[in-house]
Amino acid sequence: MQLYLIRHGQSTNNALWDATHSEIGRVVDPELTLLGREQAAAAGAYIAASNANGSVGGRDPQNRSGFGLTHLYCSLMDRAINTGLAVSRAVGLPLLAWTEAHEGGGLYKVDETSGALSGVPGGNREYFAARYPELVLPAQLGAAGWYRGGYEEADALRARIAVFRQQLAERHGGSSDRVGVVTHGDFYHHLLAAIMQAPAAANGAYWFYLNNLGISRLDFRAEGLRVMYLNRVDYLPAALVT
């Protein structure tokens, strides 16, 4: 299995943080900015492109001959869905929602007076079916909504990562599938740390960084894991790198 981790395009919260380094004014489930939509379109075109002469001796560690995705997933957060739809339409694959692939913390709001964090319920099947009719929804998503917890702490995030890894192995382990997952920076960091058995980073620092629409490739082979590349954004024009 080849696993491609793709971060969503720039969201309104990303742009707010870049401008103010503050969460004052953030929204619970931000949309893509105009720049984020341009990033998503560029990524879709890049991932959909093919070049029969790109490989060397049958080997293509940089995907110069193309990506050839066989499966495409996203989280149920708006920025990941809209990024995933841009890629899905470009490559001609259905976009499947994966509940466990959401950002660390879950859906939450910040009390601007006290700074307290509290969970916010996620949309249900009716909500997503009306808003995103192209999105293939998980069978277990019903009337109750996909997110029903409070603010997700680090231990709960790591437990969710373990569930995601088990589901990934059950769906695609031991196969030749090429699996794209449109996900989030915090999720990406903790997933890589778990896969590589990295120690917890001190003081909230991250071992792994992922730009908006950065692409990382991990190959799971019979011989073991091979990291092909991380956070690839060289395909984006400089004005679209965030």
Side-chain angles (χ1 to χ4, degrees), residues 130-168:
R131 190 176 177 92
Y132 302 111
E134 295 172 70
L135 182 64
V136 181
L137 298 171
Q140 68 270 24
L141 179 64
W146 74 270
Y147 190 79
R148 298 184 296 278
Y151 175 77
E152 181 187 54
E153 302 289 351
D155 286 347
L157 169 56
R158 285 189 282 268
R160 175 165 58 85
I161 292 289
V163 173
F164 175 87
R165 292 180 65 191
Q166 179 61 37
Q167 292 175 346
L168 179 66

PDB file of all heavy atoms in Angstrom, residues 130-168:
ATOM      1  N   ALA A 130     -27.326  16.841   2.147  1.00  0.00           N
ATOM      2  CA  ALA A 130     -27.857  18.042   1.505  1.00  0.00           C
ATOM      3  C   ALA A 130     -26.741  18.973   1.042  1.00  0.00           C
ATOM      4  O   ALA A 130     -26.823  19.578  -0.027  1.00  0.00           O
ATOM      5  CB  ALA A 130     -28.787  18.776   2.473  1.00  0.00           C
ATOM      6  N   ARG A 131     -25.692  19.085   1.834  1.00  0.00           N
ATOM      7  CA  ARG A 131     -24.621  20.049   1.553  1.00  0.00           C
ATOM      8  C   ARG A 131     -23.586  19.507   0.570  1.00  0.00           C
ATOM      9  O   ARG A 131     -23.067  20.251  -0.268  1.00  0.00           O
ATOM     10  CB  ARG A 131     -23.943  20.417   2.879  1.00  0.00           C
ATOM     11  CG  ARG A 131     -22.956  21.585   2.790  1.00  0.00           C
ATOM     12  CD  ARG A 131     -22.434  21.917   4.170  1.00  0.00           C
ATOM     13  NE  ARG A 131     -21.444  22.968   4.154  1.00  0.00           N
ATOM     14  CZ  ARG A 131     -21.701  24.262   4.297  1.00  0.00           C
ATOM     15  NH1 ARG A 131     -22.958  24.656   4.469  1.00  0.00           N
ATOM     16  NH2 ARG A 131     -20.733  25.159   4.273  1.00  0.00           N
ATOM     17  N   TYR A 132     -23.284  18.209   0.685  1.00  0.00           N
ATOM     18  CA  TYR A 132     -22.243  17.588  -0.146  1.00  0.00           C
ATOM     19  C   TYR A 132     -22.770  16.290  -0.754  1.00  0.00           C
ATOM     20  O   TYR A 132     -22.380  15.198  -0.323  1.00  0.00           O
ATOM     21  CB  TYR A 132     -20.998  17.302   0.685  1.00  0.00           C
ATOM     22  CG  TYR A 132     -20.388  18.504   1.343  1.00  0.00           C
ATOM     23  CD1 TYR A 132     -20.432  18.669   2.728  1.00  0.00           C
ATOM     24  CD2 TYR A 132     -19.761  19.489   0.582  1.00  0.00           C
ATOM     25  CE1 TYR A 132     -19.860  19.777   3.338  1.00  0.00           C
ATOM     26  CE2 TYR A 132     -19.191  20.601   1.175  1.00  0.00           C
ATOM     27  CZ  TYR A 132     -19.247  20.737   2.561  1.00  0.00           C
ATOM     28  OH  TYR A 132     -18.686  21.835   3.151  1.00  0.00           O
ATOM     29  N   PRO A 133     -23.648  16.369  -1.741  1.00  0.00           N
ATOM     30  CA  PRO A 133     -24.243  15.131  -2.288  1.00  0.00           C
ATOM     31  C   PRO A 133     -23.229  14.200  -2.933  1.00  0.00           C
ATOM     32  O   PRO A 133     -23.497  13.000  -3.068  1.00  0.00           O
ATOM     33  CB  PRO A 133     -25.253  15.661  -3.320  1.00  0.00           C
ATOM     34  CG  PRO A 133     -24.828  17.067  -3.623  1.00  0.00           C
ATOM     35  CD  PRO A 133     -24.205  17.582  -2.361  1.00  0.00           C
ATOM     36  N   GLU A 134     -22.051  14.705  -3.320  1.00  0.00           N
ATOM     37  CA  GLU A 134     -21.033  13.838  -3.926  1.00  0.00           C
ATOM     38  C   GLU A 134     -20.281  13.007  -2.892  1.00  0.00           C
ATOM     39  O   GLU A 134     -19.648  12.002  -3.240  1.00  0.00           O
ATOM     40  CB  GLU A 134     -20.006  14.683  -4.686  1.00  0.00           C
ATOM     41  CG  GLU A 134     -20.533  15.431  -5.886  1.00  0.00           C
ATOM     42  CD  GLU A 134     -19.489  16.371  -6.446  1.00  0.00           C
ATOM     43  OE1 GLU A 134     -18.489  15.885  -7.019  1.00  0.00           O
ATOM     44  OE2 GLU A 134     -19.646  17.594  -6.303  1.00  0.00           O
ATOM     45  N   LEU A 135     -20.308  13.420  -1.651  1.00  0.00           N
ATOM     46  CA  LEU A 135     -19.508  12.779  -0.610  1.00  0.00           C
ATOM     47  C   LEU A 135     -20.125  11.448  -0.200  1.00  0.00           C
ATOM     48  O   LEU A 135     -21.320  11.369   0.109  1.00  0.00           O
ATOM     49  CB  LEU A 135     -19.414  13.711   0.607  1.00  0.00           C
ATOM     50  CG  LEU A 135     -18.569  13.248   1.786  1.00  0.00           C
ATOM     51  CD1 LEU A 135     -17.100  13.117   1.396  1.00  0.00           C
ATOM     52  CD2 LEU A 135     -18.716  14.234   2.951  1.00  0.00           C
ATOM     53  N   VAL A 136     -19.310  10.391  -0.190  1.00  0.00           N
ATOM     54  CA  VAL A 136     -19.775   9.076   0.247  1.00  0.00           C
ATOM     55  C   VAL A 136     -19.639   9.018   1.766  1.00  0.00           C
ATOM     56  O   VAL A 136     -18.531   9.087   2.305  1.00  0.00           O
ATOM     57  CB  VAL A 136     -18.957   7.950  -0.414  1.00  0.00           C
ATOM     58  CG1 VAL A 136     -19.474   6.585   0.047  1.00  0.00           C
ATOM     59  CG2 VAL A 136     -19.018   8.069  -1.932  1.00  0.00           C
ATOM     60  N   LEU A 137     -20.765   8.883   2.450  1.00  0.00           N
ATOM     61  CA  LEU A 137     -20.800   8.987   3.905  1.00  0.00           C
ATOM     62  C   LEU A 137     -20.610   7.623   4.571  1.00  0.00           C
ATOM     63  O   LEU A 137     -21.006   6.594   4.008  1.00  0.00           O
ATOM     64  CB  LEU A 137     -22.126   9.594   4.356  1.00  0.00           C
ATOM     65  CG  LEU A 137     -22.387  11.017   3.863  1.00  0.00           C
ATOM     66  CD1 LEU A 137     -23.819  11.440   4.185  1.00  0.00           C
ATOM     67  CD2 LEU A 137     -21.393  11.993   4.504  1.00  0.00           C
ATOM     68  N   PRO A 138     -20.018   7.594   5.766  1.00  0.00           N
ATOM     69  CA  PRO A 138     -19.873   6.320   6.485  1.00  0.00           C
ATOM     70  C   PRO A 138     -21.227   5.714   6.806  1.00  0.00           C
ATOM     71  O   PRO A 138     -22.192   6.434   7.114  1.00  0.00           O
ATOM     72  CB  PRO A 138     -19.140   6.729   7.773  1.00  0.00           C
ATOM     73  CG  PRO A 138     -18.557   8.074   7.505  1.00  0.00           C
ATOM     74  CD  PRO A 138     -19.456   8.732   6.520  1.00  0.00           C
ATOM     75  N   ALA A 139     -21.310   4.400   6.751  1.00  0.00           N
ATOM     76  CA  ALA A 139     -22.588   3.724   7.011  1.00  0.00           C
ATOM     77  C   ALA A 139     -23.112   4.016   8.402  1.00  0.00           C
ATOM     78  O   ALA A 139     -24.333   4.079   8.619  1.00  0.00           O
ATOM     79  CB  ALA A 139     -22.412   2.213   6.811  1.00  0.00           C
ATOM     80  N   GLN A 140     -22.206   4.228   9.371  1.00  0.00           N
ATOM     81  CA  GLN A 140     -22.640   4.410  10.748  1.00  0.00           C
ATOM     82  C   GLN A 140     -23.110   5.828  11.041  1.00  0.00           C
ATOM     83  O   GLN A 140     -23.628   6.102  12.133  1.00  0.00           O
ATOM     84  CB  GLN A 140     -21.517   4.032  11.723  1.00  0.00           C
ATOM     85  CG  GLN A 140     -20.308   4.964  11.706  1.00  0.00           C
ATOM     86  CD  GLN A 140     -19.255   4.539  10.714  1.00  0.00           C
ATOM     87  OE1 GLN A 140     -19.564   3.846   9.739  1.00  0.00           O
ATOM     88  NE2 GLN A 140     -18.005   4.920  10.955  1.00  0.00           N
ATOM     89  N   LEU A 141     -22.952   6.757  10.096  1.00  0.00           N
ATOM     90  CA  LEU A 141     -23.386   8.133  10.335  1.00  0.00           C
ATOM     91  C   LEU A 141     -24.897   8.201  10.236  1.00  0.00           C
ATOM     92  O   LEU A 141     -25.480   7.869   9.210  1.00  0.00           O
ATOM     93  CB  LEU A 141     -22.743   9.082   9.317  1.00  0.00           C
ATOM     94  CG  LEU A 141     -23.137  10.554   9.442  1.00  0.00           C
ATOM     95  CD1 LEU A 141     -22.667  11.122  10.772  1.00  0.00           C
ATOM     96  CD2 LEU A 141     -22.564  11.367   8.286  1.00  0.00           C
ATOM     97  N   GLY A 142     -25.521   8.658  11.323  1.00  0.00           N
ATOM     98  CA  GLY A 142     -26.974   8.724  11.357  1.00  0.00           C
ATOM     99  C   GLY A 142     -27.472  10.098  11.749  1.00  0.00           C
ATOM    100  O   GLY A 142     -26.852  11.115  11.442  1.00  0.00           O
ATOM    101  N   ALA A 143     -28.567  10.126  12.482  1.00  0.00           N
ATOM    102  CA  ALA A 143     -29.204  11.388  12.854  1.00  0.00           C
ATOM    103  C   ALA A 143     -28.476  12.106  13.975  1.00  0.00           C
ATOM    104  O   ALA A 143     -28.665  13.313  14.167  1.00  0.00           O
ATOM    105  CB  ALA A 143     -30.654  11.125  13.265  1.00  0.00           C
ATOM    106  N   ALA A 144     -27.628  11.382  14.708  1.00  0.00           N
ATOM    107  CA  ALA A 144     -26.999  11.980  15.891  1.00  0.00           C
ATOM    108  C   ALA A 144     -25.828  12.899  15.561  1.00  0.00           C
ATOM    109  O   ALA A 144     -25.417  13.702  16.384  1.00  0.00           O
ATOM    110  CB  ALA A 144     -26.533  10.885  16.844  1.00  0.00           C
ATOM    111  N   GLY A 145     -25.269  12.787  14.384  1.00  0.00           N
ATOM    112  CA  GLY A 145     -24.128  13.628  14.037  1.00  0.00           C
ATOM    113  C   GLY A 145     -22.810  12.909  14.251  1.00  0.00           C
ATOM    114  O   GLY A 145     -22.696  11.993  15.068  1.00  0.00           O
ATOM    115  N   TRP A 146     -21.783  13.346  13.525  1.00  0.00           N
ATOM    116  CA  TRP A 146     -20.513  12.609  13.515  1.00  0.00           C
ATOM    117  C   TRP A 146     -19.627  12.940  14.705  1.00  0.00           C
ATOM    118  O   TRP A 146     -18.800  12.129  15.118  1.00  0.00           O
ATOM    119  CB  TRP A 146     -19.760  12.866  12.214  1.00  0.00           C
ATOM    120  CG  TRP A 146     -19.112  14.222  12.095  1.00  0.00           C
ATOM    121  CD1 TRP A 146     -19.677  15.347  11.579  1.00  0.00           C
ATOM    122  CD2 TRP A 146     -17.786  14.587  12.481  1.00  0.00           C
ATOM    123  NE1 TRP A 146     -18.795  16.399  11.618  1.00  0.00           N
ATOM    124  CE2 TRP A 146     -17.617  15.957  12.178  1.00  0.00           C
ATOM    125  CE3 TRP A 146     -16.708  13.904  13.053  1.00  0.00           C
ATOM    126  CZ2 TRP A 146     -16.431  16.651  12.418  1.00  0.00           C
ATOM    127  CZ3 TRP A 146     -15.534  14.601  13.288  1.00  0.00           C
ATOM    128  CH2 TRP A 146     -15.401  15.943  12.978  1.00  0.00           C
ATOM    129  N   TYR A 147     -19.747  14.150  15.295  1.00  0.00           N
ATOM    130  CA  TYR A 147     -18.904  14.509  16.437  1.00  0.00           C
ATOM    131  C   TYR A 147     -19.801  14.884  17.601  1.00  0.00           C
ATOM    132  O   TYR A 147     -20.624  15.794  17.495  1.00  0.00           O
ATOM    133  CB  TYR A 147     -17.978  15.674  16.096  1.00  0.00           C
ATOM    134  CG  TYR A 147     -16.926  15.911  17.173  1.00  0.00           C
ATOM    135  CD1 TYR A 147     -15.793  15.111  17.238  1.00  0.00           C
ATOM    136  CD2 TYR A 147     -17.091  16.904  18.143  1.00  0.00           C
ATOM    137  CE1 TYR A 147     -14.842  15.293  18.231  1.00  0.00           C
ATOM    138  CE2 TYR A 147     -16.147  17.087  19.134  1.00  0.00           C
ATOM    139  CZ  TYR A 147     -15.028  16.285  19.180  1.00  0.00           C
ATOM    140  OH  TYR A 147     -14.088  16.451  20.162  1.00  0.00           O
ATOM    141  N   ARG A 148     -19.603  14.205  18.741  1.00  0.00           N
ATOM    142  CA  ARG A 148     -20.481  14.435  19.886  1.00  0.00           C
ATOM    143  C   ARG A 148     -19.702  14.580  21.184  1.00  0.00           C
ATOM    144  O   ARG A 148     -20.286  14.598  22.261  1.00  0.00           O
ATOM    145  CB  ARG A 148     -21.489  13.281  20.010  1.00  0.00           C
ATOM    146  CG  ARG A 148     -22.402  13.160  18.804  1.00  0.00           C
ATOM    147  CD  ARG A 148     -23.459  12.091  18.971  1.00  0.00           C
ATOM    148  NE  ARG A 148     -22.896  10.752  19.082  1.00  0.00           N
ATOM    149  CZ  ARG A 148     -22.519  10.014  18.048  1.00  0.00           C
ATOM    150  NH1 ARG A 148     -22.612  10.483  16.816  1.00  0.00           N
ATOM    151  NH2 ARG A 148     -22.036   8.809  18.221  1.00  0.00           N
ATOM    152  N   GLY A 149     -18.377  14.684  21.106  1.00  0.00           N
ATOM    153  CA  GLY A 149     -17.571  14.784  22.318  1.00  0.00           C
ATOM    154  C   GLY A 149     -17.268  16.221  22.702  1.00  0.00           C
ATOM    155  O   GLY A 149     -17.684  17.176  22.043  1.00  0.00           O
ATOM    156  N   GLY A 150     -16.510  16.369  23.786  1.00  0.00           N
ATOM    157  CA  GLY A 150     -16.004  17.676  24.157  1.00  0.00           C
ATOM    158  C   GLY A 150     -14.716  17.970  23.415  1.00  0.00           C
ATOM    159  O   GLY A 150     -14.418  17.341  22.394  1.00  0.00           O
ATOM    160  N   TYR A 151     -13.948  18.906  23.923  1.00  0.00           N
ATOM    161  CA  TYR A 151     -12.642  19.176  23.326  1.00  0.00           C
ATOM    162  C   TYR A 151     -11.767  17.931  23.470  1.00  0.00           C
ATOM    163  O   TYR A 151     -11.656  17.354  24.556  1.00  0.00           O
ATOM    164  CB  TYR A 151     -11.976  20.371  24.008  1.00  0.00           C
ATOM    165  CG  TYR A 151     -10.574  20.619  23.518  1.00  0.00           C
ATOM    166  CD1 TYR A 151     -10.350  21.224  22.292  1.00  0.00           C
ATOM    167  CD2 TYR A 151      -9.463  20.215  24.264  1.00  0.00           C
ATOM    168  CE1 TYR A 151      -9.058  21.434  21.815  1.00  0.00           C
ATOM    169  CE2 TYR A 151      -8.167  20.421  23.800  1.00  0.00           C
ATOM    170  CZ  TYR A 151      -7.981  21.031  22.578  1.00  0.00           C
ATOM    171  OH  TYR A 151      -6.712  21.222  22.111  1.00  0.00           O
ATOM    172  N   GLU A 152     -11.135  17.508  22.409  1.00  0.00           N
ATOM    173  CA  GLU A 152     -10.336  16.280  22.405  1.00  0.00           C
ATOM    174  C   GLU A 152      -8.924  16.567  22.898  1.00  0.00           C
ATOM    175  O   GLU A 152      -8.165  17.297  22.256  1.00  0.00           O
ATOM    176  CB  GLU A 152     -10.277  15.699  21.002  1.00  0.00           C
ATOM    177  CG  GLU A 152      -9.494  14.395  20.900  1.00  0.00           C
ATOM    178  CD  GLU A 152      -9.328  13.949  19.465  1.00  0.00           C
ATOM    179  OE1 GLU A 152      -8.826  14.759  18.648  1.00  0.00           O
ATOM    180  OE2 GLU A 152      -9.685  12.805  19.157  1.00  0.00           O
ATOM    181  N   GLU A 153      -8.563  15.983  24.024  1.00  0.00           N
ATOM    182  CA  GLU A 153      -7.213  16.126  24.567  1.00  0.00           C
ATOM    183  C   GLU A 153      -6.250  15.181  23.841  1.00  0.00           C
ATOM    184  O   GLU A 153      -6.666  14.312  23.072  1.00  0.00           O
ATOM    185  CB  GLU A 153      -7.222  15.830  26.069  1.00  0.00           C
ATOM    186  CG  GLU A 153      -8.151  16.719  26.881  1.00  0.00           C
ATOM    187  CD  GLU A 153      -7.663  18.165  27.006  1.00  0.00           C
ATOM    188  OE1 GLU A 153      -6.505  18.435  26.593  1.00  0.00           O
ATOM    189  OE2 GLU A 153      -8.422  19.007  27.516  1.00  0.00           O
ATOM    190  N   ALA A 154      -4.952  15.356  24.117  1.00  0.00           N
ATOM    191  CA  ALA A 154      -3.918  14.619  23.389  1.00  0.00           C
ATOM    192  C   ALA A 154      -4.048  13.104  23.546  1.00  0.00           C
ATOM    193  O   ALA A 154      -3.850  12.357  22.580  1.00  0.00           O
ATOM    194  CB  ALA A 154      -2.538  15.086  23.834  1.00  0.00           C
ATOM    195  N   ASP A 155      -4.371  12.626  24.746  1.00  0.00           N
ATOM    196  CA  ASP A 155      -4.494  11.177  24.940  1.00  0.00           C
ATOM    197  C   ASP A 155      -5.619  10.598  24.092  1.00  0.00           C
ATOM    198  O   ASP A 155      -5.488   9.507  23.522  1.00  0.00           O
ATOM    199  CB  ASP A 155      -4.740  10.860  26.418  1.00  0.00           C
ATOM    200  CG  ASP A 155      -3.496  11.034  27.270  1.00  0.00           C
ATOM    201  OD1 ASP A 155      -2.392  11.164  26.690  1.00  0.00           O
ATOM    202  OD2 ASP A 155      -3.617  11.049  28.505  1.00  0.00           O
ATOM    203  N   ALA A 156      -6.729  11.334  23.990  1.00  0.00           N
ATOM    204  CA  ALA A 156      -7.851  10.866  23.179  1.00  0.00           C
ATOM    205  C   ALA A 156      -7.481  10.898  21.700  1.00  0.00           C
ATOM    206  O   ALA A 156      -7.874  10.007  20.930  1.00  0.00           O
ATOM    207  CB  ALA A 156      -9.082  11.727  23.443  1.00  0.00           C
ATOM    208  N   LEU A 157      -6.717  11.900  21.295  1.00  0.00           N
ATOM    209  CA  LEU A 157      -6.255  11.966  19.904  1.00  0.00           C
ATOM    210  C   LEU A 157      -5.375  10.766  19.578  1.00  0.00           C
ATOM    211  O   LEU A 157      -5.537  10.127  18.528  1.00  0.00           O
ATOM    212  CB  LEU A 157      -5.492  13.268  19.667  1.00  0.00           C
ATOM    213  CG  LEU A 157      -4.717  13.398  18.351  1.00  0.00           C
ATOM    214  CD1 LEU A 157      -5.614  13.179  17.152  1.00  0.00           C
ATOM    215  CD2 LEU A 157      -4.034  14.759  18.278  1.00  0.00           C
ATOM    216  N   ARG A 158      -4.459  10.436  20.468  1.00  0.00           N
ATOM    217  CA  ARG A 158      -3.573   9.291  20.215  1.00  0.00           C
ATOM    218  C   ARG A 158      -4.369   7.989  20.147  1.00  0.00           C
ATOM    219  O   ARG A 158      -4.057   7.099  19.346  1.00  0.00           O
ATOM    220  CB  ARG A 158      -2.486   9.234  21.278  1.00  0.00           C
ATOM    221  CG  ARG A 158      -1.405  10.294  21.085  1.00  0.00           C
ATOM    222  CD  ARG A 158      -0.240  10.080  22.028  1.00  0.00           C
ATOM    223  NE  ARG A 158      -0.548  10.534  23.367  1.00  0.00           N
ATOM    224  CZ  ARG A 158      -0.279  11.758  23.814  1.00  0.00           C
ATOM    225  NH1 ARG A 158       0.288  12.644  23.031  1.00  0.00           N
ATOM    226  NH2 ARG A 158      -0.576  12.095  25.064  1.00  0.00           N
ATOM    227  N   ALA A 159      -5.414   7.866  20.979  1.00  0.00           N
ATOM    228  CA  ALA A 159      -6.262   6.671  20.929  1.00  0.00           C
ATOM    229  C   ALA A 159      -7.012   6.602  19.596  1.00  0.00           C
ATOM    230  O   ALA A 159      -7.166   5.523  19.006  1.00  0.00           O
ATOM    231  CB  ALA A 159      -7.248   6.679  22.093  1.00  0.00           C
ATOM    232  N   ARG A 160      -7.459   7.737  19.105  1.00  0.00           N
ATOM    233  CA  ARG A 160      -8.150   7.775  17.811  1.00  0.00           C
ATOM    234  C   ARG A 160      -7.188   7.424  16.676  1.00  0.00           C
ATOM    235  O   ARG A 160      -7.578   6.748  15.707  1.00  0.00           O
ATOM    236  CB  ARG A 160      -8.768   9.156  17.604  1.00  0.00           C
ATOM    237  CG  ARG A 160      -9.407   9.343  16.228  1.00  0.00           C
ATOM    238  CD  ARG A 160     -10.318  10.566  16.195  1.00  0.00           C
ATOM    239  NE  ARG A 160      -9.650  11.798  16.546  1.00  0.00           N
ATOM    240  CZ  ARG A 160      -8.958  12.563  15.715  1.00  0.00           C
ATOM    241  NH1 ARG A 160      -8.829  12.197  14.442  1.00  0.00           N
ATOM    242  NH2 ARG A 160      -8.407  13.686  16.116  1.00  0.00           N
ATOM    243  N   ILE A 161      -5.951   7.890  16.785  1.00  0.00           N
ATOM    244  CA  ILE A 161      -4.937   7.535  15.786  1.00  0.00           C
ATOM    245  C   ILE A 161      -4.779   6.019  15.711  1.00  0.00           C
ATOM    246  O   ILE A 161      -4.667   5.440  14.621  1.00  0.00           O
ATOM    247  CB  ILE A 161      -3.587   8.195  16.131  1.00  0.00           C
ATOM    248  CG1 ILE A 161      -3.656   9.717  15.967  1.00  0.00           C
ATOM    249  CG2 ILE A 161      -2.459   7.592  15.299  1.00  0.00           C
ATOM    250  CD1 ILE A 161      -3.727  10.203  14.550  1.00  0.00           C
ATOM    251  N   ALA A 162      -4.787   5.356  16.858  1.00  0.00           N
ATOM    252  CA  ALA A 162      -4.653   3.895  16.878  1.00  0.00           C
ATOM    253  C   ALA A 162      -5.832   3.241  16.157  1.00  0.00           C
ATOM    254  O   ALA A 162      -5.653   2.251  15.431  1.00  0.00           O
ATOM    255  CB  ALA A 162      -4.558   3.396  18.315  1.00  0.00           C
ATOM    256  N   VAL A 163      -7.036   3.775  16.350  1.00  0.00           N
ATOM    257  CA  VAL A 163      -8.215   3.244  15.655  1.00  0.00           C
ATOM    258  C   VAL A 163      -8.072   3.456  14.149  1.00  0.00           C
ATOM    259  O   VAL A 163      -8.349   2.547  13.356  1.00  0.00           O
ATOM    260  CB  VAL A 163      -9.496   3.925  16.179  1.00  0.00           C
ATOM    261  CG1 VAL A 163     -10.711   3.518  15.341  1.00  0.00           C
ATOM    262  CG2 VAL A 163      -9.719   3.575  17.645  1.00  0.00           C
ATOM    263  N   PHE A 164      -7.635   4.641  13.750  1.00  0.00           N
ATOM    264  CA  PHE A 164      -7.445   4.924  12.329  1.00  0.00           C
ATOM    265  C   PHE A 164      -6.444   3.955  11.710  1.00  0.00           C
ATOM    266  O   PHE A 164      -6.676   3.422  10.613  1.00  0.00           O
ATOM    267  CB  PHE A 164      -6.961   6.364  12.154  1.00  0.00           C
ATOM    268  CG  PHE A 164      -6.611   6.718  10.734  1.00  0.00           C
ATOM    269  CD1 PHE A 164      -7.587   7.184   9.863  1.00  0.00           C
ATOM    270  CD2 PHE A 164      -5.309   6.591  10.261  1.00  0.00           C
ATOM    271  CE1 PHE A 164      -7.267   7.502   8.544  1.00  0.00           C
ATOM    272  CE2 PHE A 164      -4.986   6.908   8.948  1.00  0.00           C
ATOM    273  CZ  PHE A 164      -5.971   7.364   8.087  1.00  0.00           C
ATOM    274  N   ARG A 165      -5.343   3.721  12.373  1.00  0.00           N
ATOM    275  CA  ARG A 165      -4.323   2.813  11.834  1.00  0.00           C
ATOM    276  C   ARG A 165      -4.874   1.406  11.680  1.00  0.00           C
ATOM    277  O   ARG A 165      -4.576   0.718  10.686  1.00  0.00           O
ATOM    278  CB  ARG A 165      -3.094   2.809  12.739  1.00  0.00           C
ATOM    279  CG  ARG A 165      -2.318   4.112  12.752  1.00  0.00           C
ATOM    280  CD  ARG A 165      -1.124   4.024  13.676  1.00  0.00           C
ATOM    281  NE  ARG A 165      -0.151   3.049  13.197  1.00  0.00           N
ATOM    282  CZ  ARG A 165       0.884   2.622  13.923  1.00  0.00           C
ATOM    283  NH1 ARG A 165       1.062   3.073  15.163  1.00  0.00           N
ATOM    284  NH2 ARG A 165       1.729   1.749  13.416  1.00  0.00           N
ATOM    285  N   GLN A 166      -5.670   0.956  12.632  1.00  0.00           N
ATOM    286  CA  GLN A 166      -6.269  -0.370  12.538  1.00  0.00           C
ATOM    287  C   GLN A 166      -7.240  -0.437  11.366  1.00  0.00           C
ATOM    288  O   GLN A 166      -7.241  -1.407  10.588  1.00  0.00           O
ATOM    289  CB  GLN A 166      -6.996  -0.718  13.841  1.00  0.00           C
ATOM    290  CG  GLN A 166      -7.673  -2.084  13.844  1.00  0.00           C
ATOM    291  CD  GLN A 166      -6.698  -3.231  13.653  1.00  0.00           C
ATOM    292  OE1 GLN A 166      -5.578  -3.187  14.149  1.00  0.00           O
ATOM    293  NE2 GLN A 166      -7.126  -4.267  12.928  1.00  0.00           N
ATOM    294  N   GLN A 167      -8.052   0.598  11.208  1.00  0.00           N
ATOM    295  CA  GLN A 167      -8.991   0.624  10.087  1.00  0.00           C
ATOM    296  C   GLN A 167      -8.249   0.665   8.751  1.00  0.00           C
ATOM    297  O   GLN A 167      -8.654   0.002   7.792  1.00  0.00           O
ATOM    298  CB  GLN A 167      -9.911   1.834  10.220  1.00  0.00           C
ATOM    299  CG  GLN A 167     -10.871   1.747  11.399  1.00  0.00           C
ATOM    300  CD  GLN A 167     -11.688   3.016  11.572  1.00  0.00           C
ATOM    301  OE1 GLN A 167     -11.379   4.058  10.987  1.00  0.00           O
ATOM    302  NE2 GLN A 167     -12.723   2.947  12.389  1.00  0.00           N
ATOM    303  N   LEU A 168      -7.164   1.443   8.686  1.00  0.00           N
ATOM    304  CA  LEU A 168      -6.369   1.519   7.466  1.00  0.00           C
ATOM    305  C   LEU A 168      -5.816   0.140   7.102  1.00  0.00           C
ATOM    306  O   LEU A 168      -5.849  -0.275   5.933  1.00  0.00           O
ATOM    307  CB  LEU A 168      -5.228   2.514   7.655  1.00  0.00           C
ATOM    308  CG  LEU A 168      -4.274   2.709   6.482  1.00  0.00           C
ATOM    309  CD1 LEU A 168      -4.997   3.351   5.299  1.00  0.00           C
ATOM    310  CD2 LEU A 168      -3.077   3.566   6.906  1.00  0.00           C
TER     311      LEU A 168
END
